[in-house]
Amino acid sequence: MRAVITGGAGFLGSHLCDYLIESGWDVLSIDNLVTGSEGNAAHLIKHPHFRMIRHDVSQYIDVPGPIDYVLHFASPASPVDYLKLPIQTLKVGALGTHNSLGLALAKSARYLLASTSECYGDPQISPQPETYWGHVNPIGPRGVYDEAKRFAEAMVMAYHRFHGVDTRIVRIFNTYGPRMRLNDGRALPNFIYQAIRGEPITVYGDGHQTRSFCYVSDLIEGIYGLMNSDEHEPVNIGNPQEITILEFAERVRTLVGSDVPIVFKPLPQDDPRQRCPDISKAKRLLGWQPKVNLDEGLQLTLKFFRQRIAAE
Ligand code: UDP
């Protein structure tokens, strides 16, 4: 089996490369390295079944030879990144999805889109089931990501219905683990970095907004289950253990063993008040549910960040 993974040098893409290589697949990673890094796949570079090319998938994608699966993971994914790269984010979600679907169609390959809980925007119901259509501000600063992914889902369903491409859509909720970028601006890297460096932890707003954090190995197992299922409509993959951002900051601070203060900063525009996946569909269809609890996952991630910071 041969897979093409766009965004294979990113946080999730590189873990997916690892998982497929370990499962005996041949993997071609395509990444323009705008937010990804070659270092994420450096350990695979000499592997006989792995290859990495640098290319922007918003441009035509040319891959010689047969392909069994196209997995579209390329996109800036942290709010700070997509605010800095709004046009690239829109392009990779729209044109990159179109090009990668075109590749799947040409090769008669199966296809999986990495979509997002951001499709639900600032949700008015919680937890969010896949049947919820969302509450998104199309013209706000997060709209570049949210709408690109919503367009991407529409495009995937059109390729499925019109061209008969065998497609899957995973809606990924907040995920964390080794290989997150220290400076990607998300809550976890920020909190760990600040606590380790003895700087105040920055909580945005009053910290009562919630998120639900999934450890990366659980996410990848859920995605692999979906790849092998027959479901064409979106499936949520995430950890339903919901926590406020203030509690999360306190957990991280305790774990690091630090006593830095928590300071409150303005809440970014359209920051979702709550986010929690309803994973009953994934449980029912894939027999999947997360296994790693927050404390275990945070320990593993903290170890990675300590090594990174020591190497700086
Ligand atoms: N956040 C925070 N302090 C930070 C970074 C983020 O309080 O230094 C908040 C952010 O406003 C949001 C939550 O943490 O409410 C999660 O933010 P993140 O950027 O990790 O991802 P999001 O879930 O918003 O995509």
Side-chain angles (χ1 to χ4, degrees):
M1 295 293 276
R2 182 173 185 228
V4 166
I5 304 184
T6 77
F11 165 46
L12 297 182
S14 68
H15 281 282
L16 187 60
C17 289
D18 282 347
Y19 193 91
L20 293 186
I21 290 279
E22 272 163 37
S23 308
W25 290 58
D26 209 273
V27 174
L28 171 65
S29 154
I30 306 180
D31 202 302
N32 68 353
L33 304 179
V34 68
T35 54
S37 128
E38 271 172 334
N40 284 339
H43 58 290
L44 291 175
I45 219 71
K46 293 210 168 100
H47 196 289
H49 296 296
F50 180 76
R51 214 158 61 85
M52 178 155 68
I53 56 173
R54 187 167 181 172
H55 175 68
D56 178 355
V57 297
S58 301
Q59 309 288 331
Y60 184 79
I61 309 169
D62 181 27
V63 179
I67 301 168
D68 300 292
Y69 226 120
V70 176
L71 300 119
H72 183 35
F73 277 70
S75 179
S78 124
V80 170
D81 286 341
Y82 54 72
L83 295 187
K84 269 193 241 152
L85 303 164
I87 315 286
Q88 288 96 322
T89 301
L90 281 158
K91 283 174 78 174
V92 75
L95 309 178
T97 302
H98 187 213
N99 291 332
S100 54
L101 278 164
L103 180 67
L105 176 63
K107 305 285 181 176
S108 303
R110 282 187 276 167
Y111 184 92
L112 183 139
L113 170 71
S115 186
T116 169
S117 55
E118 282 283 328
C119 285
Y120 302 122
D122 185 8
Q124 289 160 311
I125 59 168
S126 199
Q128 295 86 52
E130 290 86 348
T131 48
Y132 179 52
W133 290 355
H135 181 232
V136 173
N137 176 2
I139 57 163
R142 298 175 87 102
V144 296
Y145 185 63
D146 304 11
E147 295 297 2
K149 290 291 188 180
R150 287 163 66 98
F151 173 89
E153 290 197 2
M155 186 64 113
V156 169
M157 291 311 293
Y159 264 67
H160 173 63
R161 294 190 182 115
F162 188 75
H163 288 305
V165 176
D166 191 4
T167 57
R168 319 273 181 283
I169 297 172
V170 56
R171 290 197 182 134
I172 298 172
F173 282 67
N174 291 67
T175 303
Y176 68 101
R179 299 189 199 151
M180 289 185 96
R181 270 182 18 243
L182 262 177
N183 63 346
D184 88 354
R186 281 191 267 209
L188 181 58
N190 276 5
F191 294 169
I192 291 186
Y193 193 71
Q194 290 159 345
I196 290 180
R197 308 255 310 203
E199 294 167 9
I201 293 184
T202 54
V203 165
Y204 302 156
D206 59 10
H208 290 151
Q209 71 273 32
T210 69
R211 294 293 185 273
S212 310
F213 294 94
C214 184
Y215 189 65
V216 64
S217 60
D218 280 333
L219 182 93
I220 300 293
E221 282 173 18
I223 288 173
Y224 194 64
L226 179 59
M227 282 172 68
N228 293 311
S229 81
D230 293 325
E231 179 60 21
H232 301 298
E233 295 201 354
V235 178
N236 289 338
I237 299 285
N239 190 319
Q241 198 192 337
E242 191 175 6
I243 183 171
T244 69
I245 289 299
L246 182 56
E247 273 175 81
F248 187 58
E250 285 161 354
R251 287 276 270 279
V252 171
R253 180 171 62 177
T254 307
L255 184 78
V256 173
S258 156
D259 57 2
V260 290
I262 290 176
V263 294
F264 294 90
K265 302 269 180 185
L267 188 69
Q269 189 188 334
D270 300 333
D271 196 287
R273 293 298 306 164
Q274 51 183 355
R275 184 182 288 152
C276 179
D278 178 335
I279 59 165
S280 38
K281 185 172 178 182
K283 277 187 182 161
R284 190 178 69 248
L285 286 183
L286 315 177
W288 172 89
Q289 61 180 353
K291 294 187 281 218
V292 181
N293 71 36
L294 190 58
D295 281 334
E296 280 172 80
L298 284 177
Q299 290 282 5
L300 295 166
T301 311
L302 178 61
K303 194 170 151 210
F304 165 82
F305 277 119
R306 282 201 196 278
Q307 284 163 353
R308 271 286 154 91
I309 291 169
E312 264 188 351

